Amino acid sequence: MDNRPIGFLDSGVGGLTVVRELIRQLPQEEVVYVGDSARAPYGPRPAEQIREFTWQLVRFLLTKNVKMIVIACNTATAIVWEEIKEKLDIPVIGVILPGAGAAIKASQTGRIGVIGTPMTIQSDIYREKIQFLAPQIEVISLACPRFAPLVESNEINSSLAKKVVYESLAPLAEAELDTLVLGCTHYPLLGALIQRVMGSNVSLIDSGAECVRDISVLLNYFQLNRSWSAGSSRHQFYTTASAKSFQDIAESWLKQTIDVEHVDL
Ligand code: DGL
């Protein structure tokens, strides 16, 4: 047993999609979350900057005495997960491998689409991981740089969001995909819209939610589960931008009231 919290990081509010799934699957666990909304989006930034910012978030989480770190951001996972995993002596989980595995399982036709930030798509890491496991699969990738800013500004239900999602996904219309990986943790917040544009025959893979299975396996393997007798969970949320705006998005996504603190890294 280990009653310490699990640390989550993201460039902003996207990692909340992983937290929601964690709370659903592992309700006895406690979360410390840090989102760097002041510097989001990370996707268009140079790799070195993404690396530096991600390390700052990791160091912050370590001050909170976490037992495990979840890099709940595909962009940061693509650039720096391996390095962080090597350097820390607690388990560090990324979101890309679980998403790649789930997409292979879901696809019948072997034509998988991946959408993500410019850096995630440029890194080509999903194609690499998918084709390593299943070389016959065709991967069609598309960067959607306008999606994460829409989510950060809480415009997911706006007519602008509809327009942006329709326009951005247009290049996939003729791609004959049967599976689409939401390769950015912000995208499940636009999931209903993305599903409408892609059509009901396309299975959407939520890479963040998929990684909760890995979290569960590692907690069991290393015997790090929080005890059911430890009392109800008190999650902590931190943002580098406005606490109020983070709270609005988080409470409506998590469907519970939470406390949010501003933090300067
Ligand atoms: N949520 C992030 C991801 O999964 C990054 C979005 C961004 O900051 O560009 O890639």
Side-chain angles (χ1 to χ4, degrees):
M1 288 295 157
D2 189 327
N3 292 337
R4 292 176 298 165
I6 302 176
F8 287 79
L9 67 85
D10 180 47
S11 62
V13 295
L16 292 168
T17 61
V18 190
V19 169
R20 183 164 88 169
E21 190 58 23
L22 181 104
I23 292 172
R24 197 180 70 79
Q25 286 189 38
L26 301 169
Q28 78 280 19
E29 293 299 330
E30 227 167 45
V31 168
V32 179
Y33 184 101
V34 60
D36 194 7
S37 291
R39 299 186 292 193
Y42 279 12
R45 291 182 181 275
E48 189 46 43
Q49 207 171 47
I50 295 167
R51 182 174 167 273
E52 183 193 327
F53 292 175
T54 306
W55 268 111
Q56 289 173 358
L57 296 169
V58 166
R59 282 194 284 270
F60 173 76
L61 288 175
L62 291 174
T63 68
K64 301 290 169 191
N65 194 26
V66 293
K67 62 184 170 188
M68 176 187 280
I69 288 183
V70 180
I71 316 246
C73 173
N74 289 260
T75 311
T77 301
I79 301 301
V80 73
W81 170 59
E82 306 254 353
E83 179 185 323
I84 296 170
K85 182 162 69 87
E86 292 307 311
K87 295 241 164 84
L88 300 194
D89 53 12
I90 53 173
V92 180
I93 295 187
V95 277
I96 290 175
L97 274 179
I104 296 168
K105 242 191 286 168
S107 180
Q108 307 280 322
T109 63
R111 288 183 66 78
I112 296 178
V114 177
I115 53 175
T117 67
M119 180 53 84
T120 300
I121 297 307
Q122 190 191 315
S123 76
D124 218 18
I125 189 160
Y126 270 102
R127 184 193 314 279
E128 188 190 304
K129 300 297 180 197
I130 289 172
Q131 291 183 340
F132 174 73
L133 296 167
Q136 75 284 5
I137 288 197
E138 270 196 77
V139 178
I140 297 96
S141 307
L142 177 72
C144 297
R146 299 174 72 192
F147 286 10
L150 275 176
V151 174
E152 284 296 317
S153 56
N154 204 2
E155 288 178 283
I156 53 178
N157 297 316
S158 64
S159 52
L160 175 67
K162 277 189 204 124
K163 184 171 178 293
V164 167
V165 172
Y166 273 94
E167 281 174 8
S168 303
L169 297 180
L172 297 180
E174 307 296 314
E176 294 178 0
L177 311 172
D178 76 339
T179 304
L180 179 67
V181 180
L182 306 182
C184 170
T185 53
H186 281 71
Y187 297 178
L189 285 126
L190 293 165
L193 213 46
I194 295 172
Q195 187 77 72
R196 213 179 313 148
V197 176
M198 294 307 297
S200 54
N201 294 337
V202 175
S203 312
L204 300 188
I205 302 296
D206 178 340
S207 60
E210 292 300 330
C211 96
V212 175
R213 265 184 271 275
D214 286 23
I215 297 174
S216 175
V217 169
L218 287 184
L219 290 174
N220 288 331
Y221 184 81
F222 291 110
Q223 299 190 316
L224 292 174
N225 296 287
R226 183 167 180 272
S227 166
W228 284 93
S229 61
S232 56
S233 314
R234 292 188 54 230
H235 306 307
Q236 304 164 59
F237 293 89
Y238 297 90
T239 175
T240 57
S242 144
K244 169 79 177 78
S245 119
F246 184 98
Q247 190 173 20
D248 287 346
I249 299 172
E251 289 187 344
S252 100
W253 183 250
L254 299 176
K255 297 189 173 57
Q256 59 177 257
T257 51
I258 56 163
D259 290 325
V260 183
E261 259 182 61
H262 171 86
V263 64
D264 289 313
L265 296 174

